[in-house]
Every structure is written in C-alpha cells, then in structure tokens.
C-alpha cells in the first residue's frame, strides 16, 4: 500500500504558501479539519482495500495463490507500521470479522493438513465435485508466521485472537516438525504473541516450550543460524516477555539453569538486560552479539 498525496491537500498547501507571500489570512481551522477528515477517510479506504485484496488470495484453495496473498499482506503491514495513523486504522479494521487477518492464517496456512480417509464412494457419484485444498508449502508457512508476527506487534488484541486458535500449540508443532526457514520465523512469532499475553505465556509453559528451544540450541547438528535465533529468543523471553520474574513464567530462569547449566543461564540473564537506552538498530546488533556469546558458552562444554 503506497499512499498518494491527496489533491485537496496540495490545494491547501498552495493556498497557505500564497497567503504567506501575500500576507493574507491562511486557510481557516475548519478547512484544515475538513482536509484531515477527508485524508483519514481516504487512507481508511486504502487500508480496507489492501486487506480485502490480500485476504481474498490468502483464503484460496491453492498454495501459490495463498503465498501471493500473504506476500501482499506482509508488504501491507510493513507500510502500516510507518505511521501512527495507519496503525490506528489497521487496529480499527481488526474489529470487523471479515477483515481480521489472524483467523485466516490459522484456518488456511497454519492449519494441520491431515490425509483424508475415504470411507465411502458417495462423493464419486455426487453431482458436486469434491473440494481439494493444496497443503501449505514451506514458504507459505514462513510467510504466514511473519504476517502473524506483524499483526500481533501492531495490534495487541491479535494475540487474543491467536490464543483462540491455540496458537502456541500450533507454533510448537511447527517448531518441532518443520524446516529451518519455518523454525526461525516461528521463534519470532512466538515472541510477538506472548508479549503482554498471560494466556499465551501459560500455554507456552504448558507445552514445555523452554525444553523445545533448549533442545535446538544444545544440538550442534542443528543449523547454526537457527541456534543463534534460539539464543535471541531466550534473551528476548527473559528480558521482555517474562516481565522480570512475574508469573506466569516465574520459573523460567530456573528452567534455563536446569537445561543449559549455571554459566549459560547466568550469561543469558545478564545479557537480557541490554538495550534500554539503545536505538532499534543498535539494539538489534547487541542482540546478535549477545546471542553469539550464549552459543559460545554452550559450545565450551
């Protein structure tokens, strides 16, 4: 979604410039308010149009169409994140059931495909053709997880929607069964859906999420980039999601100490306190550096 400057906005700007040069009165407050209202209505129409277009393909029966829709939705969310106005408008759309993104993700791209067992031959002789939906590909699952992450970061109530669809259980299954591409996206999505969501945090603890992540980071046969991503996940989990020792993940530090050892647990706790005064780019760099140190501390033993 690329927003163009409205024609009436240009007219007002030109009028303000002319009035300044001629020392006459600038446009009234009422006119400026009207321009703001018209601009907001135009942006809202563009937001809803972009959502409808992306969601239509994301609901398709074929994976290549769903991938196209998810790609559009991901680009749309990145565009939305650039402005407080568009973030607010996106949040408003998520109260409308037909424009909600999270349910579509779990119903079409993140659902577990089960082999259909044919018990009767009635569908062969039926007039209506049997509906066939292609399974989700690796790239589709990865894109869906990125879209889920964006929705939860931009719209807090999306974490509640995700909990309704048992998001933690679904993501933990992906983490233990899918490839490196999906596992990396899964770890990022887990952080986003657990932020300020006690229900999702409790589900993560019930699914023994720490044990699953610990197994990946300990295993030296696992792709190194994925192990680094696990290190970043633990740092973010301790420093931001956990709420600094408050329930429901109050025992997380003890769990990490039990699974990874005292030295690594102490390093993770100390390193997780970074970044409060850093800008986003510096914070990301610091996260990568600290994750590398965590990995090195594990490889020493």
């Amino acid at each position: 979604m690329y927003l163009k400057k409205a024609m009436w906005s240009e007219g007002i700007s030109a009028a303000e410039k002319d009035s300044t040069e001629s020392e006459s009165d600038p446009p009234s407050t009422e006119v400026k308010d009207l321009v703001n209202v018209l601009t907001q209505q135009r942006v809202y129409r563009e937001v809803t149009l972009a959502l409808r277009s992306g969601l239509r393909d994301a609901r398709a029966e074929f994976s290549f169409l769903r991938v196209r829709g998810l790609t559009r939705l991901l680009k749309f969310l990145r565009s939305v994140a650039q402005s407080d106005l568009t973030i607010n408008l996106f949040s408003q759309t998520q109260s409308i059931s037909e424009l909600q993104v999270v349910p579509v993700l779990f119903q079409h791209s993140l659902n577990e495909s089960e082999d259909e067992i044919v018990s009767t031959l009635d569908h062969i002789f039926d007039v209506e053709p049997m509906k066939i939906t292609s399974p989700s590909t690796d790239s589709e699952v990865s894109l869906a997880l990125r879209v889920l992450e964006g929705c939860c970061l931009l719209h807090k109530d999306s974490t509640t929607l995700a909990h309704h669809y048992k998001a933690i259980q679904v993501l933990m299954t992906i983490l233990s069964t899918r490839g490196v591409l999906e596992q990396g996206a899964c770890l990022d999505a887990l952080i986003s859906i657990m932020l300020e969501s006690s229900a999702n945090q409790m589900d993560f603890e019930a699914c023994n999420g720490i044990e699953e992540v610990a197994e990946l980071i300990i295993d030296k046969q696992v792709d190194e980039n994925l192990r680094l991503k696990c290190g970043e996940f633990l740092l973010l989990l301790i420093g931001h999601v956990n709420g600094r020792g408050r329930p429901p993940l109050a025992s997380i530090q003890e769990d990490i100490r039990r699974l990874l050892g005292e030295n690594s647990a102490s390093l993770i706790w100390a390193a997780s306190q970074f970044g409060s005064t850093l800008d986003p780019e510096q914070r990301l760099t610091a996260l990568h550096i600290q994750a590398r140190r965590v990995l090195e501390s594990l490889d020493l033993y």
Side-chain angles (χ1 to χ4, degrees):
M1 181 187 67
Y2 300 97
L3 303 181
K4 297 179 180 179
K5 194 172 184 180
M7 291 184 292
W8 57 77
S9 177
E10 295 175 354
I12 292 299
S13 299
E16 289 179 342
K17 182 178 180 180
D18 293 340
S19 64
T20 302
E21 293 176 353
S22 61
E23 296 183 356
S24 59
D25 295 335
S28 65
T29 303
E30 290 78 6
V31 174
K32 291 183 178 180
D33 291 341
L34 176 61
V35 169
N36 291 333
V37 170
L38 292 174
T39 300
Q40 184 167 342
Q41 291 177 350
R42 176 180 64 86
V43 176
Y44 183 78
R45 287 196 298 270
E46 293 189 6
V47 167
T48 55
L49 178 61
L51 272 174
R52 291 181 190 278
S53 176
L55 289 173
R56 182 184 63 247
D57 284 343
R59 294 187 181 99
E61 297 175 10
F62 300 104
S63 182
F64 76 93
L65 289 176
R66 296 197 297 270
V67 167
R68 185 174 69 180
L70 292 170
T71 302
R72 288 179 178 176
L73 288 173
L74 188 58
K75 291 180 179 178
F76 162 76
L77 291 173
R78 288 171 177 168
S79 178
V80 165
Q82 297 175 6
S83 165
D84 289 339
L85 170 62
T86 49
I87 291 175
N88 181 52
L89 292 177
F90 170 70
S91 298
Q92 293 179 28
T93 64
Q94 294 309 286
S95 62
I96 304 173
S97 59
E98 64 181 13
L99 295 179
Q100 290 176 341
V101 178
V102 171
V104 174
L105 299 177
F106 285 99
Q107 290 168 357
H108 297 275
S109 294
L110 300 178
N111 60 332
E112 296 182 10
S113 58
E114 299 179 356
D115 295 330
E116 295 185 0
I117 301 176
V118 179
S119 56
T120 68
L121 299 179
D122 292 343
H123 67 280
I124 297 178
F125 305 103
D126 199 353
V127 177
E128 294 295 330
M130 189 175 182
K131 184 177 180 181
I132 299 176
T133 301
S134 60
S136 301
T137 61
D138 294 346
S139 59
E140 179 185 343
V141 173
S142 177
L143 280 170
L145 290 169
R146 294 299 178 191
V147 173
L148 175 63
E149 177 189 3
C151 287
C152 292
L153 291 176
L154 294 174
H155 179 236
K156 181 181 176 182
D157 289 343
S158 286
T159 60
T160 304
L161 273 175
H163 178 260
H164 176 74
Y165 286 93
K166 302 184 184 300
I168 294 294
Q169 292 90 326
V170 173
L171 266 60
M172 293 310 300
T173 299
I174 292 173
L175 187 64
S176 60
T177 60
R178 286 281 185 167
V180 174
L181 181 67
E182 304 94 291
Q183 288 173 316
C186 186
L187 290 169
D188 290 334
L190 279 169
I191 288 293
S192 67
I193 66 176
M194 284 194 290
L195 280 173
E196 301 181 10
S197 175
S198 297
N200 286 325
Q201 291 177 26
M202 292 174 66
D203 286 349
F204 181 74
E205 187 173 32
C207 290
N208 299 317
I210 291 296
E211 285 82 351
E212 294 284 346
V213 176
E215 287 180 7
L216 289 174
I217 197 173
I218 291 173
D219 188 355
K220 296 182 181 180
Q221 302 299 319
V222 171
D223 181 81
E224 184 177 1
N225 290 327
L226 180 59
R227 294 181 68 207
L228 284 170
K229 179 67 72 173
C230 290
E232 294 173 3
F233 174 86
L234 293 176
L235 290 168
L236 291 171
L237 189 67
I238 291 289
H240 299 277
V241 175
N242 188 36
R244 305 199 183 281
R246 295 195 299 271
L249 296 177
S251 64
I252 184 173
Q253 184 64 26
E254 182 60 34
D255 292 337
I256 293 178
R257 183 180 293 107
R258 172 174 53 84
L259 295 165
L260 302 182
E262 179 66 37
N263 291 336
S264 296
S266 299
L267 176 61
I268 290 173
W269 184 88
S272 67
Q273 312 305 309
F274 72 93
S276 59
T277 60
L278 301 177
D279 61 46
E281 186 174 349
Q282 291 175 329
R283 195 176 302 140
L284 186 60
T285 301
L287 178 64
H288 293 332
I289 294 173
Q290 300 295 356
R292 171 66 66 181
R293 290 176 178 172
V294 170
L295 212 60
E296 290 173 351
S297 71
L298 289 169
D299 291 343
L300 289 175
Y301 299 95

